[in-house]
Amino acid sequence: MRARDGWLALALVASGCAHSGAPAHWLPRAVDAAAETHGGWAVVHMKDRGRHAGELLAVDADSVFVLEEGACVGLASVAISHALVTGYDSEAGKLGGWTALGAVSTLSHGYVLVLTLPTWLIVGGTMASLQSHAGRVDVATWERARMYARFPQGLPPGIDRASLRPKP
Amino acid sequence: MPVVLLLAVVLLLGGCDVKRLHRELVEPGKLAAIDQRPPYLKAHLRDGRVLVLSDWSSEGTGVRGTGRMFDINRNLLAEGALAVALDSVALFETNVVHTAGAVAGLGVLTGASLALSAYCVSNPKACFGSCPTFYVDGRLEAEGFSSSVLPSLEATDVDALWRVPQGRTVVDVRMTNEAYETHVVRFVHLLAVPHAAGERVFATAGDRFERGRLLGPPSRCAGPEGDCARALSAFDGIERSSHADSSDLAARETLEVEWAEPGEGPLGIVVARRQTLLSTYLFYQALAFMGRQAGSMLATIERGGTRSGGWAPALGGIEVFVEDGQGAWVRAGEDQETGPLASDVRMIPLPRPERTPLRVRLRMAKGLWRLDWLALAQLRGEAHPLRLEPMAPPASPLVTLPGDEHLYRFHVPMGPHELFLESRGYYLEWMRDEWLVEEDPMRAVLMLAQPDDALKRLAPGFKAKEAGMERAFWSSRYARP
C-alpha cells in the first residue's frame, strides 16, 4: 500500500473495522465455514474502474470467476486492479462490544481525585480491528484467495456456467 | 460495573465465542500428511461436486467416512456413509477452528481497573509512560525499545550500562513495568565487550562497538544560554537542556564545543543524553486525537499503510558537525534515540581533525534533548561483544502489566568488560479517559501526514504545559495499590 493510500485509509478508519461488502448474514461464521460448500465473497476492482462483487467461484491461470447477481462472470486477471475476498464472518463486532463494555466498566467512582483508568480502548480496539481482518485476503496474488472459492481446484472442465446458481 | 457482571454480559453477548479459521488445501497425493484433527475433511471432486466428511479415514486409494455430498450448486445429493476414490479428487480441504487470539488478549484485560493519580488529572499528557525500565544496583540504567509502540515496530535496543562497575562476575538487572502499559518482551541479554586496561567501549550507529580511550570533556562549550561546559563535564546527572520554541517545536539550536588539544588518530565524540518529555507529549497527543478510534487507526498503521511520515524525522536527532581546515562545517553524523527516562551513552565517529583546536557543533531541536556529558575519545578499533543469556530466562515473549518486575541474573566472564543491555520487544500504551475529550481523528492523521505543520500548531499547547510536565510525569508513575 502506498503511503498516500495509507493516509487515506487511516483517515477513513474512523468508520470502524473491515467490511467485506457481503450482504448481511451471507457469510458463515468461522465455526460454520469449516463445513461451508459455497465460496467466499469477492469484491473485484478493475483497472477500467469497473467493479464486480459476488461469490468467488474459481481462480484459473489467467481468470477469476465470480457469481454476480446470479450470473457467472469471468474476469481476466490482467484487467484486475485489486480485490478483496472474505471467507467468513469474523464477528469482530462482538469484540468491539466487549471493548466498549470494558471501557464503560472503568467509569470513575468514588472521589474526584481518584479515577478508574480504562485499559481497553487501545488494546481492545486493536484486537477487534485485527479480528475484523481474519478470513480476509487482500489479493496481491490469487493463490491465497482461491482457498475461499467454491471450486478451489478451478472451474471444473466442461461445466455449464449458465447452470451455476447463487447461494440461497 | 462489577467485574462479575461485566463477565456475565460478555458471555451473554458471545464475546468469548469469537473464532478464527485456518484453512488449507491439500493435493490428493499428500493425504497421508493431513492432520486428522480437523472435524471435517472436504473432498473437492474434479467434476465440481464436493464431499464433506466427518469421522473419516483414508484407505489405500480412497477415503471413506460419514458425511454429505453436494452438486455444483451445493444441493444435497447424498448423505450418510460415503466413499471416494483418490483419482476422483482434485483437492482436499481442511479447516481448523480456534478461539481468536483477540479473545485471549481481551480476556487478560477483563476486570482490570486502575487508579489514576491527581497529577494525571491536571496534566493528562504528562501521565507517566515508558517502555520497560532496567535497574542495576537500584539505579535506573536503561529503558528498552522506546520507539516500539506497536507490534510492527518491535525492535532490538542496545543501551550502555556505563555506570555499572566493571569486573564483577554476577550482574543482576531488574526489569520493571512502571507505566499503564502492556510490555511484550522477547528477550533481554547482557552484552559484554572485552577491552584492554585504560580503555572503554562505545556503542555507535547500527549498534556497532568501538574500543577507545577517553580524552576528556570539551575545553569550551557555548550554547544560546551561554557557557555549558560545567553541565557537560561528567556523566553525573547534571544535565544541560533548553526550552522548546513557542511557535515551532522543530526549531533548532546549536551548541559549539571545542577541544584545545584533540590528539592524534581517529576520534569520536561521546554523548550521554536522553530526550525531554516533548516526544512523549507528541505521542500522547496523537493518541488523544485518535481517541476511541485509536485501536483501529493503529491497526491500520500495523497493516503497513503509514510506515513513512510522522513527527520523529521532523524533530530529528543530535546532528554533529566538525569544522574543517577551511572553516566549513562538515556533517559527521547524527545521534537519534527515543526515550526520556534513562540517559544512554553513544559515540559518533568524527573525521580526522584538520585543525587545532577541534571544533564541533551539535545541532538539535530546541527543548528535545537533555545532555549529561560530552567527551572526546581516541578510537582503537571495532570490538565484538559476548552475548550473555540470563540465568533461568523467562518464557518468550514475556508479557508484563503495570507493577510487574522481573530479575535477570547474568554471569559475566572474568576480566574487564564493558556492559550493554540488549532488549527486544514492543509495548502498548493504555488510553487515558482524559485524552478522549480531544478526540479528532483527522488531526491525528495530519500529525502523521503533515508533521512540519503539526509541530507548529502544537507548539503553543506544549509550551503551556512544558514547565510542569516533569513533576507531573514522575509523580504519576504507577505504584502497586
Side-chain angles (χ1 to χ4, degrees):
Chain A
M1 187 187 293
R2 293 171 298 170
R4 188 187 66 191
D5 295 337
W7 298 129
L8 180 60
L10 189 62
L12 292 174
V13 84
S15 65
C17 299
H19 296 290
S20 67
H25 309 298
W26 193 92
L27 287 167
R29 299 182 307 154
V31 65
D32 299 322
E36 175 62 63
T37 54
H38 287 87
W41 189 263
V43 178
V44 183
H45 296 266
M46 310 302 289
K47 291 178 180 175
D48 64 2
R49 299 178 187 269
R51 180 182 180 276
H52 299 274
E55 180 188 346
L56 180 65
L57 290 176
V59 177
D60 278 350
D62 55 6
S63 299
V64 174
F65 298 91
V66 175
L67 193 64
E68 182 176 32
E69 296 181 353
C72 177
V73 177
L75 306 169
S77 301
V78 294
I80 295 174
S81 172
H82 60 279
L84 182 68
V85 174
T86 307
Y88 58 93
D89 181 359
S90 64
E91 299 184 289
K94 288 184 178 177
L95 294 181
W98 192 354
T99 301
L101 274 177
V104 167
S105 76
T106 61
L107 287 175
S108 64
H109 55 272
Y111 294 97
V112 170
L113 291 180
V114 179
L115 298 176
T116 52
L117 185 72
T119 69
W120 297 86
L121 294 178
I122 191 83
V123 178
T126 300
M127 295 292 192
S129 187
L130 291 173
Q131 173 66 10
S132 77
H133 295 277
R136 267 182 71 172
V137 179
D138 281 323
V139 180
T141 66
W142 285 94
E143 184 57 32
R144 232 185 112 214
R146 73 185 183 105
M147 74 169 70
Y148 292 122
R150 183 191 291 194
F151 307 111
Q153 71 273 36
L155 214 57
I159 194 172
D160 178 8
R161 298 178 193 181
S163 67
L164 292 169
R165 295 288 176 264
K167 188 176 183 179
Chain B
M1 181 185 292
V3 171
V4 172
L5 181 59
L6 169 64
L7 288 172
V9 175
V10 166
L11 288 171
L12 283 172
L13 289 178
C16 294
D17 193 37
V18 176
K19 306 292 184 187
R20 294 190 84 143
L21 180 77
H22 178 72
R23 174 170 292 179
E24 283 192 14
L25 300 177
V26 182
E27 295 174 9
K30 297 180 180 175
L31 179 63
I34 289 179
D35 181 358
Q36 299 212 8
R37 181 168 47 93
Y40 299 106
L41 176 72
K42 288 185 201 170
H44 292 275
L45 305 188
R46 296 183 188 282
D47 61 6
R49 291 177 297 163
V50 64
L51 277 75
V52 181
L53 300 174
S54 60
D55 192 22
W56 60 273
S57 62
S58 61
E59 297 180 352
T61 58
V63 174
R64 65 173 60 248
T66 304
R68 297 178 168 191
M69 180 188 294
F70 300 88
D71 69 8
I72 61 171
N73 285 314
R74 303 323 185 211
N75 299 310
L76 184 64
L77 290 175
E79 192 171 7
L82 300 170
V84 63
L86 282 183
D87 57 11
S88 299
V89 178
L91 277 178
F92 287 108
E93 175 192 313
T94 62
N95 293 274
V96 177
V97 180
H98 53 89
T99 300
V103 173
L106 289 174
V108 171
L109 294 176
T110 299
S113 178
L114 300 172
L116 188 65
S117 74
Y119 289 107
C120 279
V121 174
S122 64
N123 201 343
K125 274 175 241 96
C127 284
F128 188 88
S130 81
C131 44
T133 38
F134 298 92
Y135 292 80
V136 181
D137 299 334
R139 178 166 58 193
L140 177 62
E141 292 287 351
E143 52 183 306
F145 41 87
S146 305
S147 303
S148 302
V149 296
L150 288 173
S152 61
L153 297 177
E154 178 177 320
T156 301
D157 188 26
V158 174
D159 294 286
L161 298 181
W162 188 265
R163 295 173 293 185
V164 175
Q166 297 188 29
R168 56 173 68 173
T169 55
V170 176
V171 175
D172 288 336
V173 179
R174 181 168 60 93
M175 181 182 76
T176 62
N177 183 338
E178 297 179 273
Y180 298 105
E181 298 167 348
T182 302
H183 296 168
V184 180
V185 183
R186 298 283 177 199
F187 60 72
V188 176
H189 299 144
L190 198 66
L191 304 180
V193 190
H195 59 82
E199 290 182 344
R200 296 298 300 260
V201 179
F202 315 100
T204 184
D207 292 332
R208 291 177 61 253
F209 301 91
E210 290 261 1
R211 295 177 296 113
R213 186 173 67 91
L214 285 169
L215 299 178
S219 51
R220 184 179 74 87
C221 176
E225 73 275 19
D227 179 36
C228 47
R230 169 65 187 92
L232 301 180
S233 61
F235 191 5
D236 55 5
I238 299 174
E239 298 170 317
R240 183 268 170 197
S241 62
S242 60
H243 293 120
D245 189 270
S246 57
S247 59
D248 183 0
L249 296 176
R252 296 300 201 256
E253 63 176 350
T254 299
L255 300 185
E256 190 165 310
V257 294
E258 184 178 295
W259 282 269
E261 297 178 10
E264 300 290 326
L267 301 175
I269 183 170
V270 181
V271 184
R273 78 292 178 271
R274 62 185 171 116
Q275 287 186 324
T276 66
L277 293 175
L278 173 54
S279 56
T280 303
Y281 175 88
L282 291 171
F283 176 49
Y284 288 177
Q285 182 63 72
L287 291 178
F289 285 150
M290 293 180 191
R292 291 165 182 81
Q293 307 300 322
S296 48
M297 293 182 82
L298 290 173
T300 299
I301 294 172
E302 278 283 277
R303 292 181 59 232
T306 55
R307 289 207 184 279
S308 61
W311 57 85
L315 287 176
I318 301 173
E319 294 180 281
V320 178
F321 297 84
V322 177
E323 190 180 33
D324 67 11
Q326 285 74 45
W329 292 93
V330 178
R331 192 175 188 276
E334 184 173 3
D335 176 47
Q336 165 74 293
E337 186 174 2
T338 302
L341 302 177
S343 287
D344 193 14
V345 178
R346 286 273 158 166
M347 186 273 291
I348 300 96
L350 301 175
R352 285 187 181 274
E354 297 180 7
R355 56 173 294 156
T356 301
L358 174 68
R359 291 202 183 100
V360 174
R361 281 183 176 173
L362 305 179
R363 185 168 175 267
M364 67 204 91
K366 293 170 63 177
L368 181 59
W369 296 98
R370 296 182 180 280
L371 305 182
D372 196 317
W373 175 48
L374 286 179
L376 197 64
Q378 189 178 58
L379 305 180
R380 292 180 171 178
E382 189 172 2
H384 301 282
L386 302 170
R387 181 167 280 105
L388 306 177
E389 297 275 349
M391 308 291 292
S396 175
L398 175 67
V399 179
T400 71
L401 295 174
D404 287 349
E405 292 186 5
H406 289 270
L407 185 69
Y408 294 88
R409 169 160 290 180
F410 299 92
H411 281 181
V412 182
M414 300 282 288
H417 291 82
E418 193 77 54
L419 300 178
F420 298 84
L421 194 75
E422 182 186 51
S423 59
R424 181 174 179 88
Y426 65 91
Y427 63 102
L428 298 174
E429 200 68 46
W430 293 5
M431 289 292 286
R432 277 69 158 172
D433 261 338
E434 289 69 28
W435 295 349
L436 300 181
V437 297
E438 297 185 67
E439 181 174 320
D440 190 340
M442 282 312 301
R443 291 187 71 182
V445 174
L446 290 172
M447 274 189 76
L448 297 168
Q450 297 178 357
D452 292 336
D453 183 60
L455 292 175
K456 294 183 175 73
R457 290 176 182 274
L458 293 172
F462 176 75
K463 289 300 293 182
K465 300 290 186 184
E466 186 178 31
M469 282 197 75
E470 284 287 325
R471 185 175 67 90
F473 186 81
W474 291 101
S475 300
S476 61
R477 202 175 204 168
Y478 178 84
R480 285 193 181 278

